[in-house]
Amino acid sequence: MSKAVIEFTDFSFTYRAQQEPTLRGINLSIREGEKVLIVGPSGSGKSTLAHCINGLIPFYYPGETAGSLRIMGQEQQEQSIAALSQTVGTVLQDPDGQFVGLTVGEDIAFVLENAAVPLQEMKERVTAAARAAGIGDLLSASPQELSGGQKQKTMLAGVLAGNVDILLFDEPLASLDPFTGTRTIEHIDRLQRETGKTVIIIEHRLEEVLHRPVDRIIIMNDGVIACDLPPAELLSSGLLAGTGLREPLYLTALRYAGVAVTPDLQPQHPELIRLEGAAQRLEQWVDGYREQSGPAEAVPLLELKEVTFGYERETAVLDKLSLTVNRGEMLAIAGRNGAGKSTVSKLICGFYKPSSGSIWLNGRDIGRDTIKERAERIGFVMQNPNHMLSKTLLYDEVAFGLKLRDVPEELIRERVHGVLRICGLHAFREWPISALSYGQKKRVTIASILVLEPEIIILDEPTAGQDYRHYNEMMEFLRGLSSRGITVIMITHDMHLMLEYAQRAIVLADGKKAGDDRPERILTDRSIVEKANLRETSLYTLALRAGLQQPEELVRTFIAFDREVRRR
Amino acid sequence: MRARMLTYTKQDSPVHRLSGAAKLIVFIAWSLTAMITYDTRCLVVMLLISLVLFKVSTVRFQDYAFVLYFILFFFLLNHLAIFLFSPLEGTRIYGTRHDLFHLAGRYTVTAEQLFYQLNIALKYAVVIPVALLFLLTTDPSEFAASLNRIGVNYKIAYSVSLALRYIPDIQRDYENISFSAQARGIDLSRKEKLPRRLKNIVSILLPLILSSIERIEKISTAMELRGFGSGRKRTWYMGRPFTGRDYFALGLMLSLAAAALIITFYDGSRFYSIF
């Protein structure tokens, strides 16, 4: 048996500003060359655990520790961040924020520069690391020229250049589209097999990480280790449900169909799972289920007609794009980075003017309306709530848009209170915004838009970086808005969101519309999936493997059934 | 869309080929010399040299046109101010007075004043092209390494490089924030009266500052995790060792500076006089 590289013994940690410990009685040992996945809902302490491993705790975030943590046999407390950085290489969740160099080469070299490695040796190691990460020809590119996946690879190369023994990935998939995420997981796997390094991945997107095998899955919940099992056993145990984590969709589908998931079914991958006997059950389930409601009548509300736009004269981001948004629907707009998703919303809101084509709302050309005028009918919620919040008190923030429109004070109060009730924020109305959680802040930004009573609300990545529980809360909330007659447009590459909540999905590729259909059809159409950097849903893989006659039917049945289950 | 002003473009010329540190030292020595001397002969020679350098460097006019006009504007403003506040400065310096014509009140144009202001103008003309040239031909990545090489603490030197790295990101944040603010109804255009407009700008600055602080927190943890600031020294990936060319340029610059200073101070005064 190989030696333990990380050993927590009765380890506890309390942040300096807090009373309660964030980690309690952790006993965990990770051996050399292992590949371990740590999952848990937000606030479970999984990031704190990662910070202990890379030394941010206690050297950057001070606090009380108890028990012992040994890294490579040495007590962690007796080392420094710099010393630990020679052993543990961390890839953080947001590749933009940690890209410190002006070019890829410089960024990879950063750790070597700090260790005062001579220039000649540094150049060789940087080139080798860049090649290993698959970005050998991008050494002189600037961060602005890179895609999210390439930035992530740069981070990875930067860690590899340092020759560390342990690779620690802190939510590596959070800012990547599904396709790039899949590639990243494959890449990490290949590196691990080639170099034999110890790999620790912290994520809450279980299904995506399990695209490649891991040795163990550790579930963190409420500051303790809730379970520590090999994937097959964990997935069969039903322990996931109790922790607010999402189990892979294909397994949920099997359970719905009445198939018992056991470790010998090999449930850790949809390509591996043994389906003898299960196929028939699935078929019966799909045939036996009839959807309750038919599609609603479509009344066009917002129309883009042959819209062309480019930030620079020669390159068009959107090329004669036409699309229709119907009244009261929930629409998802998807596409890879740079496909023009955000540009569409910026044109609709009037931040930019199209170079040709027109935008119609309720049968009226709104090309001449100002940003302010459009905002009264079309609200736009940005991905990062901190970009929108400009007041210190919640009430003032929500009332701000009305105050600027010189609405009488009494009417403002009435409308703000109404909106706060809808958004579940009424109890916090006297609170300072800084005391709210990320998800609550996001709701405040939505409330501050809703108070203007728009007909359409556009949200840029409404659930980015949120765990399953918060994702669910947010999306149910948006569905509630939709049932009040507000049209919701979501710009996203979250496939679960698209599948479960969108009634229709529009896929953009190279400034054109590549698909416009029900999400289950989009996500089972291989050519569209490829164009938009999405990934085929595992439900479809399951249906194909089970040899179902109409694989899309399984996907559709699942969504409708799952919705009912969750509503109960 | 993005203004590409005063940005480095990768080109090949004798000036581009010099290492950043050598260029920085030359630039500092050049500026100091130009600031000290009021010797018209030296300044004219330096002006000629700087024009030759520009020619050799092959940088394009459009890369710096805007900045040049901008500086020109302040240059004129400065001259006007000198004359307004001290119309007889030249007479005071050179100790003679040749009136050319009288304007009004205490404002009389003298030959001394014109000569003095000509020298000031020359100083501008000598320093500005070289400053522009330095910015246009030095790879920003190499800049931090150069600063460190001439003795600036590497933590300070690196902050320059970080600023360059994050300016485009903060510009993008600003754009997003101002868009959403405008959608809320905050008017930043001239339609709004000035006091209200200022107030509106403040309400954009708050989220910008907060999101920048968030960014800084992220960057500093990332840098810490990668061992920044642990050692007393660090090496630079983009640093370039001095070559013969660099020593040659430095030698040339030092002899030029020495010559200029000797000529200037030969008669015991910084001010060369034709009167």
Side-chain angles (χ1 to χ4, degrees), chain A residues 54 56 60-61 81-82 85 90 92 94 96-103 105-114 116-119 122-123 126 139 143-144 158 311-312 346 351-352 370-372 375 382 384 386-390 397 400-401 404-406 448-449 452, chain B residues 1-2 10 140-141 154 158 161-162 164-166 168-169 172-173 175-177 179-186 191 196 200 203-204 206-208 210-211 214-231 233-241:
Chain A
N54 63 28
L56 283 181
Y60 191 85
Y61 302 113
I81 298 196
S85 75
T90 315
L92 294 169
D94 165 26
D96 238 347
Q98 57 182 321
F99 203 118
V100 290
L102 285 161
T103 60
E106 280 171 81
D107 194 74
I108 298 174
F110 191 70
V111 74
L112 303 176
E113 290 180 328
N114 294 330
V117 173
L119 189 61
M122 176 149 61
K123 296 242 169 186
V126 166
L139 281 179
Q144 283 82 22
Y311 293 98
E312 277 147 43
K346 285 181 177 157
F351 300 152
Y352 300 118
T370 62
I371 297 178
K372 190 174 170 181
M382 288 197 284
N384 184 348
N386 293 335
H387 282 170
M388 297 182 73
L389 300 170
S390 58
E397 182 67 43
F400 194 36
L404 286 166
R405 284 170 173 78
D406 299 322
S448 67
I449 295 297
L452 300 175
Chain B
M1 185 181 67
R2 197 154 286 142
K10 212 172 173 139
S141 313
Y154 78 80
Y158 204 82
S161 163
L162 267 185
L164 290 170
R165 155 73 184 87
Y166 283 99
D169 286 24
R172 206 180 46 211
D173 277 359
E175 198 186 64
N176 280 332
I177 291 169
F179 278 159
S180 94
Q182 288 174 56
R184 300 271 294 277
I186 299 174
K191 272 193 240 162
R196 186 140 185 198
N200 288 347
S203 61
I204 289 194
L206 188 72
L208 186 67
L210 288 180
S211 71
E214 202 182 346
R215 202 180 271 285
I216 290 166
E217 163 91 17
K218 248 186 231 167
I219 300 162
S220 55
T221 48
M223 288 173 67
E224 194 96 18
L225 274 178
R226 293 163 80 183
F228 186 77
S230 57
K233 269 190 182 165
R234 88 197 283 275
T235 47
W236 301 82
Y237 178 70
M238 291 300 286
R240 274 196 281 173

Side-chain angles (χ1 to χ4, degrees), chain B residues 10-205:
Chain B
K10 212 172 173 139
Q11 272 176 309
D12 192 32
S13 80
V15 183
H16 286 82
R17 261 173 262 151
L18 286 178
S19 84
K23 268 182 280 197
L24 184 61
I25 297 171
V26 167
F27 167 62
I28 292 171
W30 179 276
S31 313
L32 279 176
T33 313
M35 271 184 247
I36 291 167
T37 185
Y38 272 88
D39 191 309
T40 320
R41 294 159 303 177
C42 293
L43 287 171
V44 168
V45 172
M46 285 172 83
L47 178 64
L48 290 177
I49 296 176
S50 74
L51 292 178
V52 170
L53 281 177
F54 241 83
K55 187 82 191 140
V56 170
S57 74
T58 68
V59 291
R60 284 176 316 229
F61 181 66
Q62 76 240 36
D63 285 347
Y64 58 88
F66 176 76
V67 183
L68 196 64
Y69 293 139
F70 193 70
I71 295 173
L72 221 56
F73 171 73
F74 277 95
F75 169 78
L76 291 174
L77 212 63
N78 187 347
H79 272 277
L80 211 61
I82 293 177
F83 186 71
L84 278 179
F85 288 110
S86 113
L88 294 175
E89 185 70 21
T91 308
R92 206 179 55 73
I93 289 170
Y94 299 111
T96 54
R97 179 164 177 161
H98 300 80
D99 286 8
L100 295 179
F101 51 89
H102 181 75
L103 285 174
R106 66 189 189 106
Y107 296 107
T108 304
V109 178
T110 63
E112 284 80 5
Q113 183 71 12
L114 284 186
F115 184 64
Y116 167 68
Q117 293 204 245
L118 169 78
N119 279 320
I120 301 260
L122 273 173
K123 278 164 175 290
Y124 264 95
V126 164
V127 175
I128 291 164
V130 175
L132 290 178
L133 203 59
F134 173 67
L135 290 173
L136 288 167
T137 60
T138 307
D139 192 337
S141 313
E142 216 195 316
F143 187 70
S146 320
L147 277 179
N148 186 218
R149 172 164 257 169
I150 64 162
V152 177
N153 182 306
Y154 78 80
K155 290 182 189 169
I156 295 168
Y158 204 82
S159 65
V160 175
S161 163
L162 267 185
L164 290 170
R165 155 73 184 87
Y166 283 99
I167 284 170
D169 286 24
I170 290 175
Q171 274 176 342
R172 206 180 46 211
D173 277 359
Y174 173 77
E175 198 186 64
N176 280 332
I177 291 169
S178 86
F179 278 159
S180 94
Q182 288 174 56
R184 300 271 294 277
I186 299 174
D187 196 347
L188 296 173
S189 67
R190 296 223 176 89
K191 272 193 240 162
E192 198 68 81
K193 283 191 200 81
L194 194 64
R196 186 140 185 198
R197 213 165 115 202
L198 285 177
K199 230 175 117 190
N200 288 347
I201 288 173
V202 170
S203 61
I204 289 194
L205 285 183

Side-chain angles (χ1 to χ4, degrees), chain A residues 171-191:
Chain A
E171 307 213 12
L173 304 177
S175 49
L176 299 180
D177 60 53
F179 175 79
T180 314
T182 311
R183 279 289 114 84
T184 302
I185 292 296
E186 286 168 7
H187 201 93
I188 294 174
D189 185 60
R190 194 164 60 241
L191 271 176

Side-chain angles (χ1 to χ4, degrees), chain A residues 4 40-41 64 97 122 127 139 153 155 163 165 173 211 238 244 258 268 276 283 309 358 375 390 398 454 482 509 565:
Chain A
E64 270 311 296
M122 176 149 61
T127 316
L139 281 179
K153 283 180 182 165
M155 298 302 114
N163 245 338
D165 304 294
L173 304 177
H211 175 63
Q268 65 273 38
E276 296 99 25
E283 192 100 50
F309 175 78
S358 55
S390 58
V398 179
S482 163
V565 170

Side-chain angles (χ1 to χ4, degrees), chain A residues 195-213:
Chain A
T195 59
K197 292 186 197 296
T198 311
V199 169
I200 302 167
I201 304 173
I202 298 189
E203 249 305 338
H204 57 96
R205 288 154 74 168
L206 188 60
E207 184 175 334
E208 277 92 332
V209 180
L210 288 181
H211 175 63
R212 282 290 178 269

